[in-house]
Amino acid sequence: MTTKKHESDTPGIILAGIFILIGGIFLNDARTLLDYDSYVFPMAICIVMIVLCISFIVWNLLKPHLDKDATAKPGSTVRRVGLVMLMLASAFVMPYVGFLPAGLGVFAALMTIAMFKPWTWKLAATYALICVAIVTGFYVLFDIVFLVPLPEIPF
Amino acid sequence: MKTFYKILLTVTAFAIVVTFGLITTASAEFPDKPIHYIIPFGPGGESDVTARFQEPFFKEKFGENLVIEYKPGGGGAVGWAQLNTMKGDGYTIMGTNLPHIIIKPLQTNVGFTTDGIINVYMFHYTPDAICVTTDSPYKTLKDLIDFAKKNPGKMIFSGSGKGSANHLAQVIFDGMAGIKTTYVAFKGTGASVTALLGKQVTAEWGYTTVPAKYEGTRMLAVAMEKRHPVFPDVPTFTELGFDLVSGAYRGIAVPKSTPEPIRKKLSNMIDEINHDPAFIKKMEDNGFAMLNATYGSKVDAFMAKQKKVITQAAKDAGIVK
Amino acid sequence: MHVLSFILEAMSPYHFSIALGGVVAGTVIGALPGLTATMAIAVLVPLTFSMSPTAALILMGAIYTGAIYGGAYSAILLNTPGTPSAIATTLDGYPMAKRGDGDLAVTLACISSVVGGLIGAAFLLALAPPLAKVALAFGPVEYFWLAIFGLTLISALSEGNLLKGLIGGCLGMLLTTIGVAEISSDIRFTFGSRTLIGGIEPVSALIGLYCIPVLIDLVATPARHLKVTSSNRGFRLREALSLTWRHKFNVLRSSVIGTIVGILPGAGGSISGLVAYSEARRTSKHTANFGNGEPEGVQASESANNATVGGGLIPTLVLGIPGTPPDAVILGALLVQGVRTGPNLFVSGESSIIYVFIAGLFLATLLMLPTGLLVGRYAYRFIITVPKAVLVPTVAFMTIIGTYAIRNNMSDVVIMIVLGAIGWVLDRCGFKPSPIVLGLILSRIAEQGFVQGWTIGGARGSIIAEFFARPISAGIIGFICISLFYPIIARRWKRNKEL
């Protein structure tokens, strides 16, 4: 005989706790504002959010249940983290190194992360060409056509 | 799939050729390439419109394009905070606004200081004015003051933002006339006029550009030294006994690292546009008022005076401590 | 006859090619996340100086129309609204694409956009001056209730998980308060950071919350991005047309909603899409299917947001007050050309410009059908067939550069990526992105309306009367109540009937 223990929505509870903290931080910061017009709305939102989070936590503790929508997604965590880190790196590096170098770099790196087939020389060559084409294509589009001031290579 | 890659190859080749063809070295008479004119607001506002007015004159007189870019955020703060990090070769200029650049640094750490902004020219202003609808019961300024005296707080003005020229004018005038009115801030002159037209408010603290642009509005008084050429029937506050000459002033600034001769050159270029009769007509027809504060002693004196006046008014309004 | 001469002038080879070029360019621009219609029009303004005002207007209108439609592509195929107007399209468009109906969704979007655009333009043509008066009757309080109505959609989007959805909505609203306050110009919640003074830019936040999680999951497995059905079903035009006819009432109603929301300055295409979606969902027979790939959702959103193009031009041209951000740019360009806006524009005389322009708008909208179908076909094929190792970098790169281009600010890119990563984590824990986005989009309007209404009500003597006693507000509040309580009442009524 096994008594089925109800699993609780732990990630949800933790996040709700974090949100309560965030609400508190914002509420605290709102006290420095002088103008009533400035703080009335954010304070109201913070209070509502904190109340909702508390209700959520209490409800989940009383009636533990899993969230159907909170699916565990299969797949490589390394690649996922790599994607985010690479994109962030390119954003930080671009103003210093210039658009084209950073762009080519991040594009090539992302290609490697998203590639699931084994690399061959032919594959690498074609993909390198695609990388250059698309990056330069976007460069021309944004710099010439839209006149967006892209970060320049510092000479 | 093969065609896919063939197309990409051609695109690559083309793109590489184009890109390298564009890396040119330039060293000739200033200006020899387009000048980037950064507006620290979104498109469609007064800063944008007046820049657009300048654009064709610039091209005609100096042969190069004025490329207008937008860098909105923080009510202008984002743009001004980044100004001095930009290249100071004269090819980057930015629009500036008073009272914003004076008031914002006083409120909190916005990333720039008033004195850190190098203005090379102040080229126009929009004088403050009290606007009402054409069918409003208030025909003269006196009507409005009488109503406000009898009903403190019930006179509702719309205006563009808090700590703006509109707001400061309302505070100063309330003090001068001994009345108490309510100010409701809206996001931009457009929204403020919409509220007026929709009768959500009784009147608007706006600019002389309002009746020029929006049907169904008229002004009770303008905050200028002399009457506006396009609105000769509207008295000035001074004529009616109130010493109020103010508005939102706009100019052009350059990064701090811009060398002195280039600053002077830019100042002269804008000055030339500012004296072009066609430009003046276009500005005045749209309700703007001209200002010619050139780089050097004129701009410095202007800024010093405005700093004093605006800081005091902001303190009175309770916007800054 | 006057009318004929306007139509003929709009169809001159010069104007025709401008309209065609504008629609194609606009569609492509709208499809790229980060590039908005506003940006596209702003870049072209200098070009228009050398054109006649009519040609300039036709060009800008064509680009605007195309861009609003183009946003549907990335919404459907990448779960990223190409422009904010396409937010509601992602809700059912992406699920449709995931199950292999992406081509149908794209074609539906095209047809709905055309119908919506035509209806919006028709209102502009026939009823602009009186409708502009309606726009003026909407004061701050009405906007506030309208925002609240939009927020009730959160309850619809978070079936079974209402608390999490509401918390997400609050989070979104809180994020918007960072930076310069709309009303008081106070700088809030920057915690000393200079970067945050500019606040969180909504379009970059949209891209972050919708697109980055998709990329994160794309990169994790070798599985295909969208399901590919083996048969090449072409445009699925006949299927789409029959669906449109079957749901004609939905399309018509959404177009009217889109026009009316467009009339309200500052509301914009995103809100019209959301309101139309909300209404379509409430009144549909397949309510439960919404959010899982219900074609009606795509139809509602796309017809509404293209109707907003015509609707937004009404206050722009009649009052000189821009209805949506692209309208502000168009207005600026008109001002430079010396065109005076106002009701006089619609009275005959010097104003043939307006009527030729509206004819041009009709033309551009109609041209969207062939161009949209063609471009859509290639976009769909591209996304389906291109290998992941090309798709992921391209989309990632596009989001980086597109986000940068919004305000020429690299920190927007960083914020987008960070929000995206956080959004992925939240999604895994059951906090969906849509409620957060709703909060982001609607918060400003809600706050402005609230604070302004409060101030005016206080000055007039009764805040309660200000918020509840105004006729239009009362109407909107009624809609809110219906929206919230109708499902409960309907369920109870059904249960009683079964007993």
Side-chain angles (χ1 to χ4, degrees), chain B residues 43, chain C residues 36-39 41 60 64 68 316 322-332:
Chain C
T36 56
T38 318
M39 205 184 285
I41 302 179
M60 293 192 285
Y64 185 14
I68 299 291
T316 313
T324 65
D327 290 321
V329 185
I330 295 180
L331 203 53

Side-chain angles (χ1 to χ4, degrees), chain C residues 487-497:
Chain C
I488 306 176
I489 298 176
R491 241 181 286 150
R492 210 168 280 176
W493 194 48
K494 227 206 231 160
R495 234 184 290 152
N496 285 344
K497 269 177 82 176

Side-chain angles (χ1 to χ4, degrees), chain B residues 1 4-5 43-45 48-49 52-53 55-56 66 68-75 77-78 81-82 85 104 107-112 153-154 156 161-164 182-187 190-191 193-195 197-202 212-215 282 285-286 288 319, chain C residues 38 42-43 45-46 49 135-140 142 180 182-187 192 194-195 197-199 265 318-322 325 328-329 331-332 335-338 340-344 382 385-387 390 406-409 411 444 448 452 455-456 459-461 466 470:
Chain B
M1 275 303 243
F4 179 65
Y5 290 132
D48 181 31
V49 165
R52 295 280 180 199
F53 285 168
E55 212 179 327
L66 207 54
I68 295 182
E69 294 160 16
Y70 304 100
K71 212 181 223 301
V78 168
Q82 294 186 2
T85 64
K104 282 204 187 304
Q107 288 179 304
T108 173
N109 177 9
V110 280
F112 69 92
K154 292 250 188 300
I156 307 178
K162 279 206 183 165
S164 63
T182 308
Y183 180 79
V184 184
F186 285 81
K187 186 172 177 205
V193 175
T194 312
L197 288 173
K199 308 240 173 42
Q200 317 291 345
V201 294
T202 20
K213 197 171 164 199
Y214 301 99
E215 293 268 329
K282 198 161 192 122
D285 279 350
N286 280 289
F288 295 96
I319 305 173
Chain C
T38 318
V43 163
V45 166
F49 293 155
L136 290 178
F138 272 71
E142 280 75 30
V180 176
E182 296 287 301
I183 303 292
S184 59
S185 305
D186 246 337
I187 298 187
R194 202 190 297 178
T195 331
I197 292 183
V318 177
L319 300 169
I321 297 167
V329 185
L331 203 53
L335 213 63
V336 176
Q337 291 256 7
R340 275 291 160 78
T341 55
N344 302 321
F382 178 75
T385 55
V386 86
V390 174
I406 302 175
R407 291 198 296 192
N408 300 332
N409 203 335
S411 23
R444 277 184 213 271
Q448 272 186 62
Q452 288 164 343
T455 315
I456 296 179
R460 288 238 168 94
E466 186 74 18
R470 291 165 61 105

Side-chain angles (χ1 to χ4, degrees), chain A residues 140-150, chain B residues 34 36 65-69, chain C residues 43 46 408:
Chain A
V140 169
L141 182 67
F142 277 81
D143 198 52
I144 313 299
V145 178
F146 290 116
L147 300 168
V148 175
L150 294 169
Chain B
H36 289 260
N65 278 321
L66 207 54
V67 178
I68 295 182
E69 294 160 16
Chain C
V43 163
N408 300 332

